[in-house]
Amino acid sequence: MSNEVVLSVKNLSVVFHTPDGDVAAVSNVSFDLHSGETLGIVGESGSGKSVTASSIMRLNNSITATTTGSILISGVDILTADESEVRRIRGSEVAMIFQDPLSALNPYYTVGKQIAEAYLVHHPQVSKTDARAVTLEMLKKVGIPNPEKRIDEFPHQFSGGMRQRIVIAIALINNPKVLIADEPTTALDVTVQAQILDLMKDLQAEFNMAIVLITHDLGVIAEAAKEVLVMYGGRVVEQSTVDALFSEPTHPYAWGLLGAVNSLSSSGRGALATIAGSPPSLIALPRGCSFNPRCTFASEICRSEVPVLRTVGTQGSVAACHLPDNEILTIGREVASR
Ligand SMILES: Nc1ncnc2c1ncn2[C@@H]1O[C@H](COP(=O)(O)OP(=O)(O)OP(=O)(O)O)[C@@H](O)[C@H]1O
Ligand code: SF4
Ligand SMILES: [Mg+2]
């Protein structure tokens, strides 16, 4: 199967204009995503994960937010494309599972109608009977038992895990090249979470789909992603393969996350535990490295100069930190081996 770049984000920045001042929600984020691959985005609450995701769908309000950079989806820049082109791309080229799966479903319509409608938007020439047949096929693919009966049921008649399968069915009904999944398993218990991640993997293989998987759970990243962006205060502070993140992490913030994971490993869960201090205000980011107020390794330069991303170590990782390479590698490997 081809392994083309299906999503290319370059220097994405999003500023929200609020009565309290400008909020730099996302600053200079860049990445490429190939078909069939999963990129994880991890970071604390407020680090800019969902805003990055909604920019890819061009959902930021253009009056209250300024979005700059470029987001190429199959060669088209979604940030400058005209509205009809964006409507075509949304759903058919790139689809999104939103952070709150319950609000994604309309309680007044059967799940079958909601899936079929998502299909008909992009296939207006298809009859309702044929759309129903496509819907039934998709319900089988996402593992809904007894789909012939359940197609005519309402969202409240499904469990949380089954509802999430319906949300996935809506997202995939038009066979998008890119799926953006914003915390797709957070509301689910651990067993169901594993089933949903398995389902996403199976469907990814079947459709050769690229996935952007947003989570605050490093366990989910380890399970499901190949590459990972670690975000802090709206910026990418480390970008690496998942293997590299767990064997040779290259940013002090990532060390904090991994320390938290290691201390939780006996319970088998990798949720981000606390790192001392709180996330930065995006209206007034700290000068220099925005992690400096919480970083044990901060020195003078960290309080004045923003570190740029550079390659560190032997595995192609890039990190934004002023520490010398040898120090990063020694400490990173030590953290990983704990
Ligand atoms: N419409 C908006 N207007 C103003 N500020 C916003 C808006 N949407 C998001 N923000 C701010 O942008 C920042 C990033 O938000 P975002 O939702 O991307 O965080 P997140 O990483 O997804 O966090 P979480 O893990 O809680 O979902 C936050 O400080 C948030 O308050
Ligand atoms: S640049 Fe300085 S403050 Fe920022 S993570 Fe590196 S050592 Fe810590
Ligand atoms: Mg979010």
Side-chain angles (χ1 to χ4, degrees):
M1 261 188 254
S2 70
N3 190 236
E4 60 184 317
V5 173
V6 284
L7 172 64
S8 180
V9 174
K10 292 279 169 283
N11 303 320
L12 174 67
S13 296
V14 182
V15 176
F16 290 105
H17 310 294
T18 76
D20 295 329
D22 282 356
V23 176
V26 173
S27 303
N28 251 329
V29 168
S30 298
F31 62 86
D32 282 339
L33 184 59
H34 293 84
S35 52
E37 289 184 358
T38 299
L39 172 80
I41 302 184
V42 70
E44 282 168 309
S45 189
S47 56
K49 305 182 299 294
S50 293
V51 174
T52 301
S54 55
S55 305
I56 297 170
M57 297 289 284
R58 202 165 99 183
L59 293 172
N60 300 334
N61 182 321
S62 60
I63 296 167
T64 55
T66 303
T67 307
T68 53
S70 67
I71 299 177
L72 295 183
I73 296 167
S74 300
V76 176
D77 187 350
I78 189 107
L79 293 184
T80 53
D82 64 37
E83 200 48 49
S84 61
E85 182 77 338
V86 173
R87 272 198 300 273
R88 183 190 67 74
I89 290 172
R90 245 187 240 144
S92 68
E93 301 270 347
V94 53
M96 181 159 170
I97 301 174
F98 289 91
Q99 192 159 355
D100 177 6
L102 284 191
S103 65
L105 294 173
N106 186 326
Y108 300 109
Y109 293 112
T110 63
V111 298
K113 185 173 165 64
Q114 295 184 56
I115 301 170
E117 275 191 352
Y119 184 70
L120 286 167
V121 167
H122 292 283
H123 302 83
Q125 76 289 1
V126 170
S127 72
K128 288 207 164 143
T129 314
D130 288 348
R132 186 177 168 88
V134 174
T135 298
L136 201 53
E137 215 33 55
M138 185 51 87
L139 284 174
K140 287 179 194 160
K141 282 203 174 122
V142 297
I144 302 287
N146 199 1
E148 288 84 359
K149 169 166 176 285
R150 306 220 71 183
I151 190 171
D152 293 318
E153 292 184 350
F154 291 87
H156 73 266
Q157 294 172 281
F158 291 79
S159 66
M162 287 296 153
R163 270 198 295 254
Q164 192 58 319
R165 287 172 192 262
I166 303 291
V167 170
I168 292 173
I170 293 174
L172 300 193
I173 194 71
N174 294 300
N175 196 3
K177 291 183 181 147
V178 181
L179 174 68
I180 299 167
D182 192 355
E183 306 270 7
T185 59
T186 302
L188 306 171
D189 71 43
V190 182
T191 321
V192 180
Q193 171 172 313
Q195 290 165 357
I196 295 289
L197 289 177
D198 282 347
L199 170 69
M200 286 174 59
K201 258 191 209 168
D202 291 347
L203 295 169
Q204 176 174 43
E206 184 174 342
F207 296 113
N208 195 30
M209 183 171 63
I211 298 180
V212 179
L213 178 62
I214 294 174
T215 177
H216 61 273
D217 188 334
L218 272 183
V220 169
I221 294 285
E223 171 66 25
K226 186 175 167 216
E227 293 228 8
V228 61
L229 294 184
V230 180
M231 288 190 70
Y232 187 81
R235 294 178 181 143
V236 173
V237 293
E238 171 162 349
Q239 177 168 13
S240 58
T241 65
V242 169
D243 287 348
L245 179 70
F246 284 94
S247 61
E248 194 181 85
T250 53
H251 193 278
Y253 176 61
W255 301 340
L257 300 184
L258 283 163
V261 168
N262 289 342
S263 64
L264 284 172
S265 58
S266 56
S267 68
R269 297 276 286 140
L272 299 191
T274 44
I275 296 173
S278 32
S281 156
L282 299 177
I283 290 185
L285 276 174
R287 257 166 62 82
C289 171
S290 33
F291 190 53
N292 85 65
R294 300 168 79 185
C295 183
T296 337
F297 305 93
S299 62
E300 210 37 56
I301 187 173
C302 304
R303 289 181 270 274
S304 57
E305 279 179 38
V306 179
V308 292
L309 286 166
R310 71 174 198 281
T311 305
V312 180
T314 54
Q315 301 185 50
S317 303
V318 293
C321 177
H322 289 302
L323 287 176
D325 288 21
N326 57 352
E327 215 167 307
I328 289 180
L329 292 177
T330 310
I331 304 171
R333 287 174 189 150
E334 153 83 31
V335 168
S337 67
R338 254 190 251 145

